[in-house]
PDB file of all heavy atoms in Angstrom:
ATOM      1  N   LEU R   1      -3.403  42.043 -22.684  1.00  0.00           N
ATOM      2  CA  LEU R   1      -2.588  42.187 -23.892  1.00  0.00           C
ATOM      3  C   LEU R   1      -2.150  40.811 -24.404  1.00  0.00           C
ATOM      4  O   LEU R   1      -1.584  40.021 -23.646  1.00  0.00           O
ATOM      5  CB  LEU R   1      -1.364  43.057 -23.615  1.00  0.00           C
ATOM      6  CG  LEU R   1      -1.658  44.513 -23.225  1.00  0.00           C
ATOM      7  CD1 LEU R   1      -0.367  45.260 -22.965  1.00  0.00           C
ATOM      8  CD2 LEU R   1      -2.447  45.210 -24.312  1.00  0.00           C
ATOM      9  N   PRO R   2      -2.377  40.511 -25.685  1.00  0.00           N
ATOM     10  CA  PRO R   2      -2.055  39.179 -26.216  1.00  0.00           C
ATOM     11  C   PRO R   2      -0.543  38.960 -26.347  1.00  0.00           C
ATOM     12  O   PRO R   2       0.190  39.859 -26.764  1.00  0.00           O
ATOM     13  CB  PRO R   2      -2.725  39.182 -27.592  1.00  0.00           C
ATOM     14  CG  PRO R   2      -2.795  40.628 -27.979  1.00  0.00           C
ATOM     15  CD  PRO R   2      -2.993  41.385 -26.699  1.00  0.00           C
ATOM     16  N   HIS R   3      -0.088  37.766 -25.977  1.00  0.00           N
ATOM     17  CA  HIS R   3       1.329  37.414 -26.148  1.00  0.00           C
ATOM     18  C   HIS R   3       1.443  36.219 -27.091  1.00  0.00           C
ATOM     19  O   HIS R   3       0.437  35.612 -27.484  1.00  0.00           O
ATOM     20  CB  HIS R   3       1.991  37.114 -24.794  1.00  0.00           C
ATOM     21  CG  HIS R   3       1.490  35.884 -24.102  1.00  0.00           C
ATOM     22  ND1 HIS R   3       1.811  34.601 -24.519  1.00  0.00           N
ATOM     23  CD2 HIS R   3       0.689  35.709 -23.013  1.00  0.00           C
ATOM     24  CE1 HIS R   3       1.260  33.713 -23.727  1.00  0.00           C
ATOM     25  NE2 HIS R   3       0.554  34.346 -22.800  1.00  0.00           N
ATOM     26  N   CYS R   4       2.672  35.865 -27.458  1.00  0.00           N
ATOM     27  CA  CYS R   4       2.885  34.739 -28.379  1.00  0.00           C
ATOM     28  C   CYS R   4       3.784  33.670 -27.762  1.00  0.00           C
ATOM     29  O   CYS R   4       4.344  32.841 -28.486  1.00  0.00           O
ATOM     30  CB  CYS R   4       3.460  35.230 -29.713  1.00  0.00           C
ATOM     31  SG  CYS R   4       5.057  36.058 -29.598  1.00  0.00           S
ATOM     32  N   GLU R   5       3.937  33.699 -26.437  1.00  0.00           N
ATOM     33  CA  GLU R   5       4.745  32.676 -25.774  1.00  0.00           C
ATOM     34  C   GLU R   5       3.985  31.343 -25.746  1.00  0.00           C
ATOM     35  O   GLU R   5       2.759  31.306 -25.725  1.00  0.00           O
ATOM     36  CB  GLU R   5       5.076  33.093 -24.341  1.00  0.00           C
ATOM     37  CG  GLU R   5       5.856  34.391 -24.240  1.00  0.00           C
ATOM     38  CD  GLU R   5       7.235  34.303 -24.874  1.00  0.00           C
ATOM     39  OE1 GLU R   5       7.801  33.193 -24.937  1.00  0.00           O
ATOM     40  OE2 GLU R   5       7.747  35.359 -25.298  1.00  0.00           O
ATOM     41  N   ILE R   6       4.726  30.249 -25.736  1.00  0.00           N
ATOM     42  CA  ILE R   6       4.137  28.914 -25.630  1.00  0.00           C
ATOM     43  C   ILE R   6       4.205  28.484 -24.173  1.00  0.00           C
ATOM     44  O   ILE R   6       5.296  28.346 -23.610  1.00  0.00           O
ATOM     45  CB  ILE R   6       4.868  27.923 -26.554  1.00  0.00           C
ATOM     46  CG1 ILE R   6       4.658  28.340 -28.019  1.00  0.00           C
ATOM     47  CG2 ILE R   6       4.381  26.505 -26.318  1.00  0.00           C
ATOM     48  CD1 ILE R   6       5.429  27.518 -29.008  1.00  0.00           C
ATOM     49  N   MET R   7       3.043  28.290 -23.571  1.00  0.00           N
ATOM     50  CA  MET R   7       2.966  28.071 -22.126  1.00  0.00           C
ATOM     51  C   MET R   7       2.968  26.588 -21.769  1.00  0.00           C
ATOM     52  O   MET R   7       2.082  26.080 -21.081  1.00  0.00           O
ATOM     53  CB  MET R   7       1.708  28.753 -21.583  1.00  0.00           C
ATOM     54  CG  MET R   7       1.631  30.242 -21.850  1.00  0.00           C
ATOM     55  SD  MET R   7       2.712  31.203 -20.783  1.00  0.00           S
ATOM     56  CE  MET R   7       1.800  31.116 -19.243  1.00  0.00           C
ATOM     57  N   ASP R   8       3.962  25.851 -22.263  1.00  0.00           N
ATOM     58  CA  ASP R   8       4.091  24.444 -21.886  1.00  0.00           C
ATOM     59  C   ASP R   8       4.556  24.301 -20.442  1.00  0.00           C
ATOM     60  O   ASP R   8       4.344  23.275 -19.799  1.00  0.00           O
ATOM     61  CB  ASP R   8       5.081  23.738 -22.819  1.00  0.00           C
ATOM     62  CG  ASP R   8       4.539  23.614 -24.233  1.00  0.00           C
ATOM     63  OD1 ASP R   8       3.304  23.684 -24.380  1.00  0.00           O
ATOM     64  OD2 ASP R   8       5.325  23.470 -25.170  1.00  0.00           O
ATOM     65  N   ALA R   9       5.224  25.350 -19.940  1.00  0.00           N
ATOM     66  CA  ALA R   9       5.721  25.361 -18.573  1.00  0.00           C
ATOM     67  C   ALA R   9       5.669  26.807 -18.085  1.00  0.00           C
ATOM     68  O   ALA R   9       5.553  27.724 -18.898  1.00  0.00           O
ATOM     69  CB  ALA R   9       7.161  24.833 -18.524  1.00  0.00           C
ATOM     70  N   PRO R  10       5.737  27.030 -16.762  1.00  0.00           N
ATOM     71  CA  PRO R  10       5.725  28.415 -16.262  1.00  0.00           C
ATOM     72  C   PRO R  10       6.858  29.232 -16.872  1.00  0.00           C
ATOM     73  O   PRO R  10       7.990  28.750 -17.000  1.00  0.00           O
ATOM     74  CB  PRO R  10       5.914  28.234 -14.748  1.00  0.00           C
ATOM     75  CG  PRO R  10       5.419  26.853 -14.463  1.00  0.00           C
ATOM     76  CD  PRO R  10       5.769  26.041 -15.667  1.00  0.00           C
ATOM     77  N   LEU R  11       6.562  30.454 -17.242  1.00  0.00           N
ATOM     78  CA  LEU R  11       7.579  31.322 -17.817  1.00  0.00           C
ATOM     79  C   LEU R  11       8.552  31.785 -16.740  1.00  0.00           C
ATOM     80  O   LEU R  11       8.170  31.936 -15.571  1.00  0.00           O
ATOM     81  CB  LEU R  11       6.929  32.531 -18.481  1.00  0.00           C
ATOM     82  CG  LEU R  11       6.019  32.259 -19.671  1.00  0.00           C
ATOM     83  CD1 LEU R  11       5.397  33.557 -20.169  1.00  0.00           C
ATOM     84  CD2 LEU R  11       6.780  31.581 -20.804  1.00  0.00           C
ATOM     85  N   PRO R  12       9.819  32.015 -17.096  1.00  0.00           N
ATOM     86  CA  PRO R  12      10.775  32.551 -16.112  1.00  0.00           C
ATOM     87  C   PRO R  12      10.276  33.875 -15.547  1.00  0.00           C
ATOM     88  O   PRO R  12       9.664  34.676 -16.254  1.00  0.00           O
ATOM     89  CB  PRO R  12      12.054  32.744 -16.955  1.00  0.00           C
ATOM     90  CG  PRO R  12      11.896  31.823 -18.115  1.00  0.00           C
ATOM     91  CD  PRO R  12      10.436  31.769 -18.412  1.00  0.00           C
ATOM     92  N   ASP R  13      10.531  34.104 -14.259  1.00  0.00           N
ATOM     93  CA  ASP R  13      10.114  35.350 -13.621  1.00  0.00           C
ATOM     94  C   ASP R  13      10.722  36.547 -14.344  1.00  0.00           C
ATOM     95  O   ASP R  13      11.925  36.569 -14.632  1.00  0.00           O
ATOM     96  CB  ASP R  13      10.541  35.365 -12.146  1.00  0.00           C
ATOM     97  CG  ASP R  13       9.746  34.371 -11.311  1.00  0.00           C
ATOM     98  OD1 ASP R  13       8.656  33.979 -11.760  1.00  0.00           O
ATOM     99  OD2 ASP R  13      10.235  33.986 -10.227  1.00  0.00           O
ATOM    100  N   GLY R  14       9.876  37.528 -14.615  1.00  0.00           N
ATOM    101  CA  GLY R  14      10.372  38.758 -15.223  1.00  0.00           C
ATOM    102  C   GLY R  14      10.502  38.714 -16.727  1.00  0.00           C
ATOM    103  O   GLY R  14      10.896  39.714 -17.335  1.00  0.00           O
ATOM    104  N   LEU R  15      10.197  37.559 -17.352  1.00  0.00           N
ATOM    105  CA  LEU R  15      10.370  37.481 -18.805  1.00  0.00           C
ATOM    106  C   LEU R  15       9.399  38.406 -19.524  1.00  0.00           C
ATOM    107  O   LEU R  15       9.800  39.185 -20.389  1.00  0.00           O
ATOM    108  CB  LEU R  15      10.158  36.046 -19.287  1.00  0.00           C
ATOM    109  CG  LEU R  15      10.201  35.873 -20.817  1.00  0.00           C
ATOM    110  CD1 LEU R  15      11.592  36.172 -21.354  1.00  0.00           C
ATOM    111  CD2 LEU R  15       9.781  34.468 -21.230  1.00  0.00           C
ATOM    112  N   LEU R  16       8.113  38.333 -19.183  1.00  0.00           N
ATOM    113  CA  LEU R  16       7.088  39.141 -19.833  1.00  0.00           C
ATOM    114  C   LEU R  16       6.581  40.213 -18.879  1.00  0.00           C
ATOM    115  O   LEU R  16       6.331  39.931 -17.701  1.00  0.00           O
ATOM    116  CB  LEU R  16       5.906  38.268 -20.270  1.00  0.00           C
ATOM    117  CG  LEU R  16       5.997  37.518 -21.587  1.00  0.00           C
ATOM    118  CD1 LEU R  16       4.681  36.801 -21.853  1.00  0.00           C
ATOM    119  CD2 LEU R  16       6.343  38.426 -22.747  1.00  0.00           C
ATOM    120  N   SER R  17       6.397  41.415 -19.396  1.00  0.00           N
ATOM    121  CA  SER R  17       5.802  42.482 -18.606  1.00  0.00           C
ATOM    122  C   SER R  17       5.146  43.477 -19.547  1.00  0.00           C
ATOM    123  O   SER R  17       5.344  43.441 -20.760  1.00  0.00           O
ATOM    124  CB  SER R  17       6.850  43.180 -17.720  1.00  0.00           C
ATOM    125  OG  SER R  17       7.932  43.641 -18.509  1.00  0.00           O
ATOM    126  N   VAL R  18       4.346  44.352 -18.960  1.00  0.00           N
ATOM    127  CA  VAL R  18       3.658  45.389 -19.722  1.00  0.00           C
ATOM    128  C   VAL R  18       4.248  46.735 -19.338  1.00  0.00           C
ATOM    129  O   VAL R  18       4.429  47.030 -18.151  1.00  0.00           O
ATOM    130  CB  VAL R  18       2.139  45.372 -19.443  1.00  0.00           C
ATOM    131  CG1 VAL R  18       1.436  46.533 -20.161  1.00  0.00           C
ATOM    132  CG2 VAL R  18       1.537  44.042 -19.890  1.00  0.00           C
ATOM    133  N   VAL R  19       4.546  47.549 -20.355  1.00  0.00           N
ATOM    134  CA  VAL R  19       5.057  48.891 -20.083  1.00  0.00           C
ATOM    135  C   VAL R  19       3.987  49.919 -20.407  1.00  0.00           C
ATOM    136  O   VAL R  19       3.159  49.727 -21.301  1.00  0.00           O
ATOM    137  CB  VAL R  19       6.347  49.195 -20.875  1.00  0.00           C
ATOM    138  CG1 VAL R  19       7.482  48.305 -20.404  1.00  0.00           C
ATOM    139  CG2 VAL R  19       6.131  49.054 -22.377  1.00  0.00           C
ATOM    140  N   HIS R  20       4.030  50.997 -19.646  1.00  0.00           N
ATOM    141  CA  HIS R  20       3.107  52.116 -19.798  1.00  0.00           C
ATOM    142  C   HIS R  20       3.953  53.319 -20.213  1.00  0.00           C
ATOM    143  O   HIS R  20       4.862  53.722 -19.482  1.00  0.00           O
ATOM    144  CB  HIS R  20       2.391  52.356 -18.463  1.00  0.00           C
ATOM    145  CG  HIS R  20       1.401  53.462 -18.503  1.00  0.00           C
ATOM    146  ND1 HIS R  20       1.106  54.246 -17.413  1.00  0.00           N
ATOM    147  CD2 HIS R  20       0.613  53.919 -19.505  1.00  0.00           C
ATOM    148  CE1 HIS R  20       0.182  55.135 -17.735  1.00  0.00           C
ATOM    149  NE2 HIS R  20      -0.125  54.963 -18.992  1.00  0.00           N
ATOM    150  N   ILE R  21       3.683  53.861 -21.388  1.00  0.00           N
ATOM    151  CA  ILE R  21       4.503  54.937 -21.929  1.00  0.00           C
ATOM    152  C   ILE R  21       3.701  56.233 -21.965  1.00  0.00           C
ATOM    153  O   ILE R  21       2.619  56.292 -22.565  1.00  0.00           O
ATOM    154  CB  ILE R  21       5.014  54.577 -23.336  1.00  0.00           C
ATOM    155  CG1 ILE R  21       5.859  53.293 -23.277  1.00  0.00           C
ATOM    156  CG2 ILE R  21       5.838  55.720 -23.917  1.00  0.00           C
ATOM    157  CD1 ILE R  21       6.307  52.789 -24.631  1.00  0.00           C
ATOM    158  N   THR R  22       4.229  57.267 -21.307  1.00  0.00           N
ATOM    159  CA  THR R  22       3.604  58.586 -21.289  1.00  0.00           C
ATOM    160  C   THR R  22       4.651  59.617 -21.688  1.00  0.00           C
ATOM    161  O   THR R  22       5.804  59.280 -21.978  1.00  0.00           O
ATOM    162  CB  THR R  22       3.056  58.920 -19.886  1.00  0.00           C
ATOM    163  OG1 THR R  22       4.163  59.041 -18.976  1.00  0.00           O
ATOM    164  CG2 THR R  22       2.132  57.808 -19.384  1.00  0.00           C
ATOM    165  N   ASP R  23       4.258  60.889 -21.650  1.00  0.00           N
ATOM    166  CA  ASP R  23       5.210  61.966 -21.946  1.00  0.00           C
ATOM    167  C   ASP R  23       6.324  62.017 -20.904  1.00  0.00           C
ATOM    168  O   ASP R  23       7.394  62.568 -21.160  1.00  0.00           O
ATOM    169  CB  ASP R  23       4.487  63.315 -21.993  1.00  0.00           C
ATOM    170  CG  ASP R  23       3.526  63.412 -23.179  1.00  0.00           C
ATOM    171  OD1 ASP R  23       3.724  62.649 -24.146  1.00  0.00           O
ATOM    172  OD2 ASP R  23       2.591  64.231 -23.129  1.00  0.00           O
ATOM    173  N   ASP R  24       6.063  61.448 -19.719  1.00  0.00           N
ATOM    174  CA  ASP R  24       7.069  61.460 -18.650  1.00  0.00           C
ATOM    175  C   ASP R  24       8.054  60.302 -18.757  1.00  0.00           C
ATOM    176  O   ASP R  24       9.017  60.237 -17.986  1.00  0.00           O
ATOM    177  CB  ASP R  24       6.375  61.405 -17.284  1.00  0.00           C
ATOM    178  CG  ASP R  24       5.501  62.630 -17.040  1.00  0.00           C
ATOM    179  OD1 ASP R  24       5.878  63.715 -17.515  1.00  0.00           O
ATOM    180  OD2 ASP R  24       4.455  62.487 -16.385  1.00  0.00           O
ATOM    181  N   GLY R  25       7.805  59.368 -19.652  1.00  0.00           N
ATOM    182  CA  GLY R  25       8.724  58.251 -19.804  1.00  0.00           C
ATOM    183  C   GLY R  25       8.010  56.912 -19.790  1.00  0.00           C
ATOM    184  O   GLY R  25       6.797  56.822 -19.989  1.00  0.00           O
ATOM    185  N   MET R  26       8.768  55.849 -19.530  1.00  0.00           N
ATOM    186  CA  MET R  26       8.249  54.483 -19.576  1.00  0.00           C
ATOM    187  C   MET R  26       8.320  53.850 -18.189  1.00  0.00           C
ATOM    188  O   MET R  26       9.340  53.930 -17.514  1.00  0.00           O
ATOM    189  CB  MET R  26       9.060  53.646 -20.566  1.00  0.00           C
ATOM    190  CG  MET R  26       8.523  52.231 -20.774  1.00  0.00           C
ATOM    191  SD  MET R  26       9.475  51.323 -22.027  1.00  0.00           S
ATOM    192  CE  MET R  26      10.939  50.893 -21.067  1.00  0.00           C
ATOM    193  N   SER R  27       7.224  53.222 -17.770  1.00  0.00           N
ATOM    194  CA  SER R  27       7.201  52.508 -16.492  1.00  0.00           C
ATOM    195  C   SER R  27       6.715  51.088 -16.730  1.00  0.00           C
ATOM    196  O   SER R  27       5.959  50.819 -17.677  1.00  0.00           O
ATOM    197  CB  SER R  27       6.285  53.217 -15.486  1.00  0.00           C
ATOM    198  OG  SER R  27       4.963  53.328 -15.993  1.00  0.00           O
ATOM    199  N   VAL R  28       7.158  50.155 -15.877  1.00  0.00           N
ATOM    200  CA  VAL R  28       6.781  48.749 -15.988  1.00  0.00           C
ATOM    201  C   VAL R  28       5.652  48.466 -15.005  1.00  0.00           C
ATOM    202  O   VAL R  28       5.745  48.798 -13.820  1.00  0.00           O
ATOM    203  CB  VAL R  28       7.975  47.826 -15.694  1.00  0.00           C
ATOM    204  CG1 VAL R  28       7.556  46.365 -15.794  1.00  0.00           C
ATOM    205  CG2 VAL R  28       9.117  48.115 -16.672  1.00  0.00           C
ATOM    206  N   LEU R  29       4.563  47.854 -15.501  1.00  0.00           N
ATOM    207  CA  LEU R  29       3.414  47.532 -14.666  1.00  0.00           C
ATOM    208  C   LEU R  29       3.533  46.104 -14.132  1.00  0.00           C
ATOM    209  O   LEU R  29       4.000  45.211 -14.834  1.00  0.00           O
ATOM    210  CB  LEU R  29       2.115  47.667 -15.459  1.00  0.00           C
ATOM    211  CG  LEU R  29       1.858  49.027 -16.116  1.00  0.00           C
ATOM    212  CD1 LEU R  29       0.523  48.995 -16.867  1.00  0.00           C
ATOM    213  CD2 LEU R  29       1.854  50.140 -15.079  1.00  0.00           C
ATOM    214  N   GLU R  30       3.072  45.902 -12.913  1.00  0.00           N
ATOM    215  CA  GLU R  30       3.068  44.560 -12.340  1.00  0.00           C
ATOM    216  C   GLU R  30       1.908  43.758 -12.916  1.00  0.00           C
ATOM    217  O   GLU R  30       0.764  44.227 -12.943  1.00  0.00           O
ATOM    218  CB  GLU R  30       2.938  44.630 -10.816  1.00  0.00           C
ATOM    219  CG  GLU R  30       3.000  43.272 -10.140  1.00  0.00           C
ATOM    220  CD  GLU R  30       2.955  43.377  -8.628  1.00  0.00           C
ATOM    221  OE1 GLU R  30       3.018  44.511  -8.112  1.00  0.00           O
ATOM    222  OE2 GLU R  30       2.842  42.321  -7.973  1.00  0.00           O
ATOM    223  N   SER R  31       2.180  42.556 -13.381  1.00  0.00           N
ATOM    224  CA  SER R  31       1.147  41.726 -13.997  1.00  0.00           C
ATOM    225  C   SER R  31       0.257  41.105 -12.928  1.00  0.00           C
ATOM    226  O   SER R  31       0.745  40.600 -11.915  1.00  0.00           O
ATOM    227  CB  SER R  31       1.783  40.619 -14.832  1.00  0.00           C
ATOM    228  OG  SER R  31       2.620  41.163 -15.835  1.00  0.00           O
ATOM    229  N   LEU R  32      -1.060  41.148 -13.171  1.00  0.00           N
ATOM    230  CA  LEU R  32      -1.996  40.468 -12.290  1.00  0.00           C
ATOM    231  C   LEU R  32      -2.019  38.970 -12.581  1.00  0.00           C
ATOM    232  O   LEU R  32      -2.146  38.143 -11.684  1.00  0.00           O
ATOM    233  CB  LEU R  32      -3.408  41.035 -12.474  1.00  0.00           C
ATOM    234  CG  LEU R  32      -3.642  42.479 -12.054  1.00  0.00           C
ATOM    235  CD1 LEU R  32      -5.074  42.881 -12.377  1.00  0.00           C
ATOM    236  CD2 LEU R  32      -3.368  42.655 -10.572  1.00  0.00           C
ATOM    237  N   GLU R  33      -1.887  38.626 -13.878  1.00  0.00           N
ATOM    238  CA  GLU R  33      -1.993  37.228 -14.303  1.00  0.00           C
ATOM    239  C   GLU R  33      -1.399  37.095 -15.695  1.00  0.00           C
ATOM    240  O   GLU R  33      -1.482  38.019 -16.506  1.00  0.00           O
ATOM    241  CB  GLU R  33      -3.469  36.802 -14.322  1.00  0.00           C
ATOM    242  CG  GLU R  33      -3.707  35.352 -14.722  1.00  0.00           C
ATOM    243  CD  GLU R  33      -5.185  35.015 -14.827  1.00  0.00           C
ATOM    244  OE1 GLU R  33      -6.019  35.936 -14.721  1.00  0.00           O
ATOM    245  OE2 GLU R  33      -5.507  33.826 -15.041  1.00  0.00           O
ATOM    246  N   ILE R  34      -0.794  35.945 -15.960  1.00  0.00           N
ATOM    247  CA  ILE R  34      -0.350  35.602 -17.312  1.00  0.00           C
ATOM    248  C   ILE R  34      -1.054  34.309 -17.701  1.00  0.00           C
ATOM    249  O   ILE R  34      -0.799  33.249 -17.132  1.00  0.00           O
ATOM    250  CB  ILE R  34       1.179  35.431 -17.398  1.00  0.00           C
ATOM    251  CG1 ILE R  34       1.896  36.727 -17.001  1.00  0.00           C
ATOM    252  CG2 ILE R  34       1.583  35.025 -18.815  1.00  0.00           C
ATOM    253  CD1 ILE R  34       3.406  36.635 -17.036  1.00  0.00           C
ATOM    254  N   THR R  35      -1.974  34.415 -18.662  1.00  0.00           N
ATOM    255  CA  THR R  35      -2.716  33.239 -19.125  1.00  0.00           C
ATOM    256  C   THR R  35      -1.990  32.619 -20.317  1.00  0.00           C
ATOM    257  O   THR R  35      -0.902  33.071 -20.705  1.00  0.00           O
ATOM    258  CB  THR R  35      -4.148  33.630 -19.534  1.00  0.00           C
ATOM    259  OG1 THR R  35      -4.090  34.393 -20.756  1.00  0.00           O
ATOM    260  CG2 THR R  35      -4.822  34.456 -18.454  1.00  0.00           C
ATOM    261  N   ASP R  36      -2.591  31.605 -20.912  1.00  0.00           N
ATOM    262  CA  ASP R  36      -1.994  30.976 -22.091  1.00  0.00           C
ATOM    263  C   ASP R  36      -1.887  31.956 -23.262  1.00  0.00           C
ATOM    264  O   ASP R  36      -1.076  31.745 -24.167  1.00  0.00           O
ATOM    265  CB  ASP R  36      -2.827  29.771 -22.540  1.00  0.00           C
ATOM    266  CG  ASP R  36      -2.680  28.599 -21.586  1.00  0.00           C
ATOM    267  OD1 ASP R  36      -1.779  28.653 -20.721  1.00  0.00           O
ATOM    268  OD2 ASP R  36      -3.465  27.639 -21.705  1.00  0.00           O
ATOM    269  N   THR R  37      -2.710  32.995 -23.256  1.00  0.00           N
ATOM    270  CA  THR R  37      -2.766  33.890 -24.419  1.00  0.00           C
ATOM    271  C   THR R  37      -2.551  35.364 -24.099  1.00  0.00           C
ATOM    272  O   THR R  37      -2.230  36.138 -24.999  1.00  0.00           O
ATOM    273  CB  THR R  37      -4.135  33.764 -25.118  1.00  0.00           C
ATOM    274  OG1 THR R  37      -5.180  34.048 -24.164  1.00  0.00           O
ATOM    275  CG2 THR R  37      -4.327  32.363 -25.681  1.00  0.00           C
ATOM    276  N   HIS R  38      -2.736  35.782 -22.818  1.00  0.00           N
ATOM    277  CA  HIS R  38      -2.711  37.203 -22.502  1.00  0.00           C
ATOM    278  C   HIS R  38      -1.948  37.494 -21.210  1.00  0.00           C
ATOM    279  O   HIS R  38      -1.820  36.634 -20.339  1.00  0.00           O
ATOM    280  CB  HIS R  38      -4.131  37.761 -22.351  1.00  0.00           C
ATOM    281  CG  HIS R  38      -4.905  37.824 -23.637  1.00  0.00           C
ATOM    282  ND1 HIS R  38      -5.460  36.701 -24.219  1.00  0.00           N
ATOM    283  CD2 HIS R  38      -5.211  38.871 -24.447  1.00  0.00           C
ATOM    284  CE1 HIS R  38      -6.079  37.061 -25.339  1.00  0.00           C
ATOM    285  NE2 HIS R  38      -5.949  38.366 -25.492  1.00  0.00           N
ATOM    286  N   VAL R  39      -1.481  38.737 -21.111  1.00  0.00           N
ATOM    287  CA  VAL R  39      -0.934  39.270 -19.861  1.00  0.00           C
ATOM    288  C   VAL R  39      -1.927  40.320 -19.359  1.00  0.00           C
ATOM    289  O   VAL R  39      -2.307  41.232 -20.093  1.00  0.00           O
ATOM    290  CB  VAL R  39       0.450  39.910 -20.065  1.00  0.00           C
ATOM    291  CG1 VAL R  39       0.962  40.498 -18.756  1.00  0.00           C
ATOM    292  CG2 VAL R  39       1.432  38.882 -20.610  1.00  0.00           C
TER     293      VAL R  39
END
């Protein structure tokens, strides 16, 4: 998923994450990697 953060330095832990939304609600997925452009 594309992000718009500027990766001049490592992002603070927990700043960016991906959520999965279903009829049962919203859950937060653990990121495998955060690149300069994508999570």
Side-chain angles (χ1 to χ4, degrees):
L1 296 179
H3 67 74
C4 61
E5 300 296 333
I6 295 175
M7 302 284 286
D8 292 338
L11 297 177
D13 290 340
L15 175 66
L16 277 184
S17 55
V18 176
V19 294
H20 181 211
I21 300 175
T22 66
D23 293 338
D24 297 326
M26 185 177 77
S27 58
V28 179
L29 304 180
E30 183 176 353
S31 302
L32 294 177
E33 181 184 7
I34 300 179
T35 71
D36 288 349
T37 57
H38 291 76
V39 178

